């Protein structure tokens, strides 16, 4: 009986998996770009109303130089958007990119990203999330899980299955650790790969990505087991980046030989 319920719930996810990411991974995509762009713009406007925006011209020019250099080598559908790049005054060591052409960089990141190449590693990673449609996939996965759980709950009620609440709690935990968190880690790893490629093609030193994530790892506690985390463990992330470095360095060196490196300075 439970096997049939799990099959029914799983089918809802499989049927929805109708897209492919830039790295060849199957994706669930249920939302259209216009809706996602609207949500991204609303979120960004809310942040601009709540978080102070940097007025420092040098800082803004520096961040915009790095971001625009990366955007110049993105796919046409991404590059063609009218991108808004904002520097927020905050101690957060972070940056983000949203559907609809929005990039935010916190000034706290500039204290950890020691040079333009390390800043490019973070911004390239965030742009990678947009290129790969991770926001769409995350929202779609959550909706598909809710649909699957509703089907399972209805099925158990129809068949009079005992311990319905306990079983649904187990299914919920299983979807969290078996679907949601692995998807999140897959998104982060995929964005690292895309970001590294963007760095190299834009003329930023790819090896600095490893240095950057080492700096970022030093900022955190590192106490969460990887299987319970939305991000890969720092050692996993750094190892995966190093595996991709030879190809990225080849691309970077070609750009360097052509004297086409970005001149972004703070």
């Amino acid at each position: 009986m439970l096997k049939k319920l799990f099959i029914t719930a799983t089918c809802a996810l499989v049927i929805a998996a109708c897209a492919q990411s830039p790295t060849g991974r199957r994706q669930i995509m249920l939302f259209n770009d216009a809706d996602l762009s609207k949500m991204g713009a609303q979120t960004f406007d809310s942040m601009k109303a709540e978080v102070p925006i940097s007025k420092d011209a040098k800082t803004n020019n520096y961040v915009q130089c790095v971001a625009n250099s990366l955007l110049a080598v993105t796919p046409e559908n991404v590059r063609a958007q009218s991108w808004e790049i904002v520097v927020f005054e905050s101690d957060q060591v972070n940056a983000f990119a949203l559907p609809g052409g929005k990039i935010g960089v916190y000034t706290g990141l500039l204290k950890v990203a020691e040079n333009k190449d390390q800043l490019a590693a973070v911004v390239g990673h965030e742009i990678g999330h947009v290129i790969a449609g991770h926001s769409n996939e995350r929202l779609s996965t959550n909706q598909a899980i809710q649909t699957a759980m509703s089907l399972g709950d209805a099925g158990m009620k129809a068949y009079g299955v005992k311990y319905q609440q306990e079983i649904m709690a187990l299914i919920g935990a299983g979807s969290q650790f078996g679907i949601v968190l692995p998807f999140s880690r897959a998104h982060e790893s995929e964005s690292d790969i895309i970001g590294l490629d963007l760095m190299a093609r834009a003329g930023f030193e790819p090896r600095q990505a490893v240095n950057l994530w080492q700096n970022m790892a030093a900022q955190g506690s590192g106490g969460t087991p990887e299987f319970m985390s939305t991000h890969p463990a720092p050692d996993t992330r750094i190892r995966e980046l190093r595996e991709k470095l030879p190809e990225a360095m080849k691309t970077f060196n070609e750009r360097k030989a052509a004297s086409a490196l970005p001149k972004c300075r703070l």
Side-chain angles (χ1 to χ4, degrees), residues 1 35 54 185 201 228 252:
M1 177 60 62
D35 288 340
S54 173
R185 292 193 293 272
R201 290 194 288 116
M228 293 180 64
F252 168 74

Side-chain angles (χ1 to χ4, degrees), residues 19-27 29 74-75 77-78 127-134 137 186-187 189-195 197-198 201 244 247:
Q20 191 175 71
S21 78
T23 63
R25 184 176 52 80
R26 295 193 71 185
Q27 294 177 291
M29 297 292 203
T74 58
N77 66 312
V78 176
I127 294 173
H129 282 303
V130 175
I131 292 174
H134 290 160
E137 187 176 8
H187 292 172
S189 295
E190 192 166 59
S191 290
D192 280 348
I193 294 169
I194 296 171
D197 179 62
L198 291 178
R201 290 194 288 116
K244 299 293 182 179
E247 183 178 351

Side-chain angles (χ1 to χ4, degrees), residues 81-131:
Q81 298 182 53
S82 179
W83 284 84
E84 182 180 6
I85 303 161
V86 174
V87 180
F88 292 98
E89 289 284 358
S90 171
D91 290 334
Q92 287 191 58
V93 182
N94 208 351
F96 62 89
L98 299 173
K102 309 296 181 182
I103 292 176
V105 174
Y106 296 107
T107 52
L109 174 62
L110 303 179
K111 300 174 184 178
V112 178
E114 299 171 345
N115 50 52
K116 67 181 187 299
D117 307 290
Q118 291 188 16
L119 177 59
V122 181
V123 177
H125 169 94
E126 298 303 328
I127 294 173
H129 282 303
V130 175
I131 292 174

Side-chain angles (χ1 to χ4, degrees), residues 38-86:
K38 184 177 180 179
M39 285 188 278
Q42 290 174 342
T43 300
F44 203 64
D45 287 342
S46 295
M47 291 194 64
K48 288 191 295 182
E50 296 171 5
V51 183
I53 296 174
S54 173
K55 303 298 183 183
D56 184 78
K58 289 183 178 179
T59 300
N60 277 277
N61 290 338
Y62 172 61
V63 171
Q64 289 175 11
C65 177
V66 171
N68 285 325
S69 296
L70 292 163
L71 290 169
V73 297
T74 58
E76 174 60 28
N77 66 312
V78 176
R79 186 168 64 250
Q81 298 182 53
S82 179
W83 284 84
E84 182 180 6
I85 303 161
V86 174

Side-chain angles (χ1 to χ4, degrees), residues 27 45 90 106 136 143 156 164 206 236 238:
Q27 294 177 291
D45 287 342
S90 171
Y106 296 107
N136 192 334
Q143 181 165 308
M156 283 189 289
Q164 292 178 23
T236 300
I238 290 169

Side-chain angles (χ1 to χ4, degrees), residues 78-261:
V78 176
R79 186 168 64 250
Q81 298 182 53
S82 179
W83 284 84
E84 182 180 6
I85 303 161
V86 174
V87 180
F88 292 98
E89 289 284 358
S90 171
D91 290 334
Q92 287 191 58
V93 182
N94 208 351
F96 62 89
L98 299 173
K102 309 296 181 182
I103 292 176
V105 174
Y106 296 107
T107 52
L109 174 62
L110 303 179
K111 300 174 184 178
V112 178
E114 299 171 345
N115 50 52
K116 67 181 187 299
D117 307 290
Q118 291 188 16
L119 177 59
V122 181
V123 177
H125 169 94
E126 298 303 328
I127 294 173
H129 282 303
V130 175
I131 292 174
H134 290 160
S135 294
N136 192 334
E137 187 176 8
R138 180 71 61 82
L139 290 170
S140 300
T141 299
N142 288 341
Q143 181 165 308
I145 288 172
Q146 290 301 316
T147 300
M149 291 185 69
S150 295
L151 287 171
D153 186 43
M156 283 189 289
K157 288 179 179 177
Y159 284 100
V161 176
K162 294 182 179 180
Y163 306 113
Q164 292 178 23
Q165 291 184 348
E166 291 80 358
I167 291 171
M168 290 306 297
L170 288 173
I171 293 174
S175 66
Q176 179 72 6
F177 293 116
I179 299 174
V180 177
L181 293 180
F183 262 130
S184 297
R185 292 193 293 272
H187 292 172
E188 294 301 316
S189 295
E190 192 166 59
S191 290
D192 280 348
I193 294 169
I194 296 171
L196 191 69
D197 179 62
L198 291 178
M199 283 182 70
R201 290 194 288 116
F204 294 102
E205 165 67 79
R207 287 175 296 197
Q208 288 293 329
V210 172
N211 296 339
L212 180 280
W213 294 120
Q214 289 173 333
N215 293 349
M216 295 287 275
Q219 298 291 313
S221 62
T224 303
E226 184 168 3
F227 80 95
M228 293 180 64
S229 172
T230 59
H231 290 60
D235 290 346
T236 300
R237 171 171 252 162
I238 290 169
R239 184 185 69 250
E240 290 176 347
L241 283 169
R242 282 176 171 157
E243 289 173 356
K244 299 293 182 179
L245 271 181
E247 183 178 351
M249 286 303 300
K250 180 181 178 181
T251 301
F252 168 74
N253 287 329
E254 290 173 355
R255 178 97 183 204
K256 184 177 180 181
S259 299
L261 304 183

